[in-house]
Structure formats: C-alpha cells, structure tokens
Amino acid sequence: MSGETVALRLVRRLRDMGVRHVFGVPSGGWVDYMEALRETDGIDFVLTSHEGGASFMADVCGRLTGAPGVCFGTFGPGATNLSTGVGGALLDRSPMIALTDEMPAAMRGRVTQMGIDHQALFAPITKKTVRLDAANIDAILADAAAVALEGRAGPVHIGLPVGLSAEIAGGEGEVAVAPAPPAPDAAQLDALVTAFRAARKPVLAIGLSATRLGIGGRIAALAERFALPVVLTPMAKGMLPESHPGYAGVLFHALSDEVAKTHAEADLVVAIGYDPVEFNYESWMRDGLPLASIDIAPVDVDRARHPVVAEVVGDIAAGLAALEAVQAPRKDWALEAVAARKAAIFQRMRPQAGAMGPCAALEVLRDVLPDDGIMTCDVGAHTHLIGQKWPTPAPGLQIMTNGWSAMGFGLPAAIAAKLCRPEKKVCAVVGDGGFLMTVGELATAVREKLPIVVLVLTDNDLALIRIKQQRKQNPIYGTPVREEGTIGGPSLFGVPVTTAATPEALRAALVEAFAADGPRIVEALVDSREYDGLVLRKDKP
C-alpha cells in the first residue's frame, strides 16, 4: 500500500474495521475522502440531509454491527450539528468514530470564518478526541476503534486538518482489535455468591451493558432455576421474552408503579449490566435495599442509601457464570403473583374497543410487522408506552435512545437499521413533534431507495410536557404542535403519505406500506389523552 494518500488509507482502514457506511454532509475538505470512498469496495458514503441525522445513523450502525459507526461534519455548524448524535453515542453507549474538518496548523487559534476549537467542542461528549496526522494514521485509527469499543462503548472524535487528505500516509502499522473485558477479581465473585445465597427474594435487574453479549438465554435459565423475577431497563428490551414466567416489566416507562410492586418485595437487587445512564438506582430502589452489581464499570449509586454488598467489575459473562455455579434451592418468590401483575399491566394497555389511540396503533403495527422486524422509535410519550407494551423477541429488534433521549432519533435510526439489515422489515414510530425535527431525512431514504415505513402518531400534542403541566395545574401552553390537522399533503419529500383514523384503516395502510418498494409514511390520527393514565407514574410504591 506504499504511496497511499491519507484519504485512501483512512477509508480502507475503516472498511477493514467492518465499517460499511460513512454518513454526513460533504465539505470542500472532504472531497478527497469522498473520492476514496467511491473507489473503495465494501464501504459507501451516505449523503444525509443534516449532520445530526448522520450522527444518529452512525450511532445505530455501531449498535447493530459491532464496528464503530462513522459520521462526518465540516467546520463550525457542521461539527455542532454532528455533536447532537455524538452525545447520543456517548450516553447510549454506541461505538462511533466522528470525523470533522479542522483548520490547518497555521490557522489554529486565528480568527477565521467558521473557526472554532473542535477538540474543545468534542472533549466533553466523547471518550477521546484527537487530530489525525499522516505519519501515525494507522495507530490513531486503531486506538480510536479500541477506545470506542472498550468498556462502555462510545464515540471518539478525530479532526481532519484541511490539506492532510492528499499527503502520503506513513507506513502500515497497527490493526484495530476490540479489547477483551478484564476478568473480575475472585474476592468480588465470592462476595456476589455469598450475597445471592443469603437472599430470600433477590430480583434481577438487566441493563444496557448486557444486551450486546448474547447472554439472554443464560439470564432466562438462571431466572427459571431460582424462580426469580426480572426487571429490564428500556434499552435492554428483548433480553427476556415478555412470556417468560419471571418477566416483571420495564423500569421507568409506562405503569412503572405497577412494576414497582414486584421489586419493592425484594431483599436484594442483582444488577447485570445495569447502566444508571438510563435510570438511576435511587429513583426506583427503596431506601436500604442492598445491591449486588455485575458490570464492566464500577457501580454508581448512593451507598449511604443502598449498601453495595457485592461489586463485580469486568467481564459480565464471568459474573453471570459465578451465579450459574451456585448450588442452592429456589428462592421464596411467588411467581404467580408476579405473572398476575404482569398480566394486569398488559391488560391496562389494551386499547378500548373501537378507539384510535396510541395503544391501538401499536397493537396493529405489532401484528403487521414480522416478529424479526426492527422497530425504531423517537422520544415522547409513545416511547414510554413502547418501553412497556411492545413485545420484543430479541435485543436489537426495538431501537430507542434513552440515555441521551434526543427527539428526532427515530427516522434516522430506521434508515441506518435498514442499511445494516436490508433483509428485515424496518419501521420507525414517531410522534408528530419529533417527526418535524428530522423529517428532511426522508430525502435520504428516497435517495438510498430504502423500503422503510414511518408510522407518525399525530395528536398535535407534546403529550409528556402537557401532562406535567396539568399535574402542576398549569394552563396548557407551548405544547400543541399545531391547532388541528395532519402532517399535510399526499407526499413529503417524494414519500407517499396515507392517513388513517381507525384501526382497520391503519392495518390496511401498513400492509400496503410494508409491501412497497420504497419508503412510505403512514399517519395515524390518535388521541393523546390515552397516555394520561399510563405514563409518568411513580417508580416507588
């Protein structure tokens, strides 16, 4: 590869890491990299409508492929636009490499058009930020990939000084290798086993860090063997089937006060891959309830309120293996009561006969979307409903943002999911408020000829904020999306729109949309008042 330019070396190294798409909006300084992408088999540039959409797409590619997702933004506004999804990758724990233009050395620190310090901009929202140089390109990229993937995954920013792309890259060097998690300390494992043996009613709390390890079957078997209830964080959906006898529900989302009736009985929480970036322990555990943690990182909890009786740091699978090796009788839980609470939760989220609310819309969609289809969602009241209601057969089949919780995530996420999993049916569920934030990415779906379905729940209401206003007895102000009407028109950005006001019409529209050979929008006209009794419940009894 002698004589390779920096642009070509960077693109080929990304391709060799497993990166298949680079998302962004080009600049003059990016032209050489785009040409390298055009020339290189196995990796493509995807033009997006906005850099924020590009970084959301890179986030989801990182989740689904295990290789860092890659995105690009230019100076100043390009970089600040990109930063929204970069922050998402940090707090949703998605491996990412974010690339931006940077000023050449002679102009750094000077007053110049679009000139800000990108290293300073990205430092607080990445695991690491660096600047590329021609002599050390392989080492910089290998390190960036390793940092993005190790521990709690996240983004690394690499600045690309303008003019560097045409220079000759230094000699070949390091290749990116995902580091293995460290083995836990034996004393930590002993403390875990001791605490678990002594507990009469331990509850398993499964979190985000467990989802990428392929241990769902092992967790299910452990719960069955010891008759344990299991609660999940929203982004851990799919780790345990809703039909499992130990499934007790999702923390933080709809009807969480009913889920709390189970974990309130526990005398120990055994947290496996639990990341408090989704929901702090103190927000749902009763005071004094002890905690045993198995995670890649030290536990973050108020230890004055919750004694940490065991803290296994490192390889999560090894901590799980220690529990699997325990020889002890079944615990004292009455799983029949847990099952009855679960059934009551799902019954309360059943739609009223003939009603067209978000519950009915989700049930129709779940019936039409194949079991192995991928549903992404945006942020809003519907997210809280999805977190509890949507049956999810496996991790990665329901994709949301919860650690970061940026509105506008759902549509770009669906585009990325379809690019990564072209054989699967893919849809996005978005509220009409969040839809407005990234609606321009419909043009990306059209350009890439992606047959995705966007289900827009139109209620003309920012329901979560409106509910909070009403609970404070404040007037409704600043939360109506529009006075009345729909998203407007028979098509948007060349994507046909079908509007449905009844469950029957919605079913017909979705069946037709999933059979189409390009993107389709299905707009469901729903009553947001259905959320009022289901979301923003207390998480402690």
Side-chain angles (χ1 to χ4, degrees), residues 134-176:
N136 299 302
I137 183 170
D138 285 6
I140 291 170
L141 289 173
D143 177 69
V147 171
L149 292 164
E150 69 184 353
R152 286 178 174 160
V156 172
H157 166 249
I158 302 177
L160 308 176
V162 169
L164 184 72
S165 57
E167 293 184 18
I168 300 302
E172 294 181 61
E174 301 179 45
V175 177

Coordinates of all heavy atoms in Angstrom, one line a residue, residues 134-176:
A134 N -0.4 12.4 9.2 CA -0.1 11.4 8.1 C 0.8 10.3 8.6 O 0.7 9.1 8.2 CB 0.5 12.1 6.9
A135 N 1.8 10.6 9.5 CA 2.8 9.6 9.9 C 2.2 8.5 10.8 O 2.7 7.4 10.7 CB 3.9 10.3 10.6
N136 N 1.2 8.8 11.5 CA 0.7 7.9 12.5 C -0.8 7.5 12.3 O -1.5 7.1 13.2 CB 0.8 8.5 13.9 CG 2.2 8.8 14.3 OD1 3.1 8.0 14.3 ND2 2.5 10.1 14.5
I137 N -1.2 7.5 11.1 CA -2.6 7.3 10.8 C -3.1 5.9 11.3 O -4.2 5.8 11.9 CB -2.9 7.5 9.3 CG1 -4.4 7.4 9.0 CG2 -2.1 6.6 8.4 CD1 -4.8 7.8 7.6
D138 N -2.4 4.9 11.0 CA -2.8 3.5 11.4 C -2.9 3.4 13.0 O -3.9 2.9 13.5 CB -1.8 2.5 10.9 CG -2.0 2.2 9.4 OD1 -2.7 3.0 8.8 OD2 -1.3 1.3 8.9
A139 N -2.0 4.0 13.7 CA -2.0 3.9 15.1 C -3.2 4.7 15.7 O -3.9 4.3 16.6 CB -0.7 4.4 15.7
I140 N -3.4 5.9 15.1 CA -4.5 6.7 15.6 C -5.9 6.1 15.3 O -6.7 6.0 16.2 CB -4.5 8.1 14.9 CG1 -3.2 8.9 15.3 CG2 -5.7 8.9 15.1 CD1 -2.9 10.1 14.5
L141 N -6.1 5.5 14.2 CA -7.3 4.8 13.9 C -7.5 3.6 14.7 O -8.6 3.3 15.2 CB -7.4 4.5 12.4 CG -7.6 5.7 11.5 CD1 -7.5 5.3 10.0 CD2 -8.9 6.4 11.7
A142 N -6.5 2.8 14.9 CA -6.6 1.6 15.7 C -6.9 1.9 17.2 O -7.8 1.3 17.8 CB -5.3 0.8 15.7
D143 N -6.3 3.0 17.7 CA -6.6 3.4 19.0 C -8.0 3.9 19.1 O -8.7 3.7 20.1 CB -5.6 4.5 19.4 CG -5.9 5.0 20.8 OD1 -5.7 4.3 21.8 OD2 -6.3 6.2 20.9
A144 N -8.4 4.7 18.1 CA -9.8 5.2 18.2 C -10.8 4.1 18.2 O -11.8 4.2 19.0 CB -10.0 6.1 16.9
A145 N -10.6 3.1 17.4 CA -11.6 2.0 17.4 C -11.5 1.2 18.7 O -12.6 0.9 19.3 CB -11.2 1.0 16.3
A146 N -10.3 1.0 19.3 CA -10.2 0.3 20.6 C -10.9 1.1 21.7 O -11.7 0.5 22.5 CB -8.8 0.1 20.9
V147 N -10.7 2.4 21.7 CA -11.4 3.2 22.7 C -12.9 3.2 22.6 O -13.6 3.2 23.5 CB -10.8 4.7 22.7 CG1 -11.6 5.6 23.6 CG2 -9.3 4.7 23.1
A148 N -13.3 3.3 21.3 CA -14.8 3.4 21.0 C -15.5 2.1 21.5 O -16.6 2.1 21.9 CB -15.0 3.6 19.6
L149 N -14.8 0.9 21.4 CA -15.4 -0.4 21.7 C -15.2 -0.8 23.1 O -15.9 -1.7 23.6 CB -14.8 -1.4 20.7 CG -15.2 -1.2 19.2 CD1 -14.3 -2.1 18.3 CD2 -16.7 -1.6 19.0
E150 N -14.1 -0.4 23.8 CA -13.8 -1.0 25.1 C -14.7 -0.4 26.2 O -15.2 0.7 26.1 CB -12.4 -0.6 25.5 CG -12.1 0.8 25.8 CD -10.6 1.1 26.0 OE1 -9.8 0.1 26.1 OE2 -10.2 2.2 26.2
G151 N -14.9 -1.3 27.2 CA -15.7 -0.9 28.4 C -17.1 -0.5 27.9 O -17.8 -1.2 27.2
R152 N -17.6 0.6 28.5 CA -18.9 1.1 28.0 C -18.6 1.8 26.6 O -17.9 2.8 26.6 CB -19.5 2.1 29.0 CG -20.1 1.3 30.2 CD -20.7 2.3 31.2 NE -21.4 1.5 32.3 CZ -21.6 2.0 33.5 NH1 -21.2 3.2 33.8 NH2 -22.3 1.2 34.3
A153 N -19.1 1.3 25.6 CA -18.8 1.8 24.2 C -19.2 3.3 24.1 O -20.0 3.8 24.9 CB -19.5 1.0 23.2
G154 N -18.6 4.0 23.1 CA -18.9 5.4 23.0 C -18.2 6.0 21.8 O -17.5 5.3 21.0
P155 N -18.3 7.3 21.6 CA -17.7 7.9 20.4 C -16.2 8.4 20.7 O -15.9 8.8 21.8 CB -18.6 9.1 20.2 CG -19.1 9.5 21.6 CD -19.1 8.2 22.4
V156 N -15.5 8.4 19.6 CA -14.2 9.1 19.6 C -14.2 10.1 18.4 O -14.7 9.8 17.3 CB -13.0 8.0 19.3 CG1 -11.7 8.8 19.1 CG2 -12.9 7.1 20.5
H157 N -13.7 11.3 18.6 CA -13.6 12.3 17.6 C -12.2 12.4 17.0 O -11.3 12.4 17.8 CB -14.0 13.7 18.2 CG -13.7 14.8 17.2 ND1 -12.7 15.7 17.5 CD2 -14.2 15.1 16.0 CE1 -12.6 16.6 16.5 NE2 -13.5 16.3 15.6
I158 N -12.2 12.4 15.7 CA -10.9 12.6 15.0 C -11.0 13.8 14.1 O -11.8 13.9 13.2 CB -10.5 11.4 14.2 CG1 -10.4 10.1 15.0 CG2 -9.2 11.6 13.4 CD1 -10.1 8.9 14.2
G159 N -10.2 14.9 14.4 CA -10.1 16.0 13.5 C -9.3 15.8 12.3 O -8.2 15.2 12.4
L160 N -9.7 16.2 11.1 CA -9.0 16.0 9.9 C -8.5 17.4 9.4 O -9.3 18.1 8.7 CB -9.9 15.4 8.8 CG -10.6 14.1 9.2 CD1 -11.6 13.6 8.1 CD2 -9.6 13.0 9.6
P161 N -7.3 17.8 9.6 CA -6.8 19.1 9.1 C -6.9 19.2 7.6 O -6.6 18.3 6.9 CB -5.3 19.1 9.6 CG -5.3 18.2 10.7 CD -6.3 17.1 10.4
V162 N -7.5 20.3 7.2 CA -7.7 20.5 5.7 C -6.3 20.5 5.0 O -5.3 21.1 5.5 CB -8.4 21.8 5.5 CG1 -8.4 22.2 4.0 CG2 -9.8 21.7 5.9
G163 N -6.2 19.8 3.9 CA -5.0 19.6 3.2 C -4.2 18.3 3.5 O -3.4 17.9 2.7
L164 N -4.6 17.7 4.6 CA -3.9 16.4 5.0 C -4.3 15.3 4.1 O -3.5 14.4 3.9 CB -4.3 16.1 6.5 CG -3.6 14.8 7.1 CD1 -2.1 15.1 7.3 CD2 -4.3 14.4 8.3
S165 N -5.5 15.4 3.5 CA -6.1 14.2 2.8 C -5.2 13.8 1.6 O -5.1 12.6 1.2 CB -7.5 14.6 2.3 OG -7.4 15.7 1.5
A166 N -4.5 14.8 1.0 CA -3.7 14.5 -0.2 C -2.2 14.1 0.1 O -1.5 13.6 -0.8 CB -3.7 15.7 -1.1
E167 N -1.8 14.2 1.4 CA -0.5 13.8 1.8 C -0.4 12.3 1.7 O -1.3 11.5 1.8 CB -0.2 14.3 3.2 CG -0.1 15.8 3.3 CD 0.4 16.3 4.7 OE1 0.9 15.4 5.4 OE2 0.2 17.5 5.0
I168 N 0.9 11.8 1.7 CA 1.2 10.4 1.6 C 1.2 9.8 3.1 O 1.8 10.4 4.0 CB 2.5 10.1 0.9 CG1 2.5 10.6 -0.5 CG2 2.8 8.6 1.0 CD1 1.4 10.0 -1.3
A169 N 0.4 8.7 3.3 CA 0.3 8.2 4.6 C 1.6 7.4 5.0 O 2.3 6.9 4.1 CB -0.9 7.2 4.6
G170 N 1.9 7.4 6.3 CA 3.0 6.7 6.8 C 2.9 5.2 6.6 O 1.8 4.7 6.2
G171 N 3.9 4.5 6.9 CA 3.9 3.0 6.8 C 2.8 2.4 7.5 O 2.3 2.9 8.5
E172 N 2.5 1.2 7.1 CA 1.4 0.4 7.7 C 1.8 0.0 9.1 O 3.0 -0.2 9.4 CB 1.2 -0.9 6.9 CG 0.6 -0.6 5.5 CD 0.3 -1.9 4.8 OE1 -0.5 -2.7 5.3 OE2 1.0 -2.2 3.8
G173 N 0.8 0.0 10.0 CA 1.1 -0.3 11.4 C -0.1 -1.1 12.0 O -0.5 -2.1 11.5
E174 N -0.6 -0.6 13.1 CA -1.5 -1.3 13.9 C -2.8 -1.5 13.2 O -3.3 -0.8 12.4 CB -1.7 -0.6 15.2 CG -0.5 -0.4 16.1 CD -0.8 0.4 17.3 OE1 -1.7 0.0 18.0 OE2 0.0 1.3 17.7
V175 N -3.5 -2.7 13.6 CA -4.8 -3.0 13.1 C -5.7 -3.0 14.3 O -5.4 -3.4 15.4 CB -4.8 -4.4 12.5 CG1 -6.2 -4.8 12.1 CG2 -3.9 -4.5 11.3
A176 N -6.9 -2.4 14.1 CA -7.9 -2.3 15.2 C -8.3 -3.6 15.7 O -8.7 -4.5 15.0 CB -9.1 -1.5 14.7

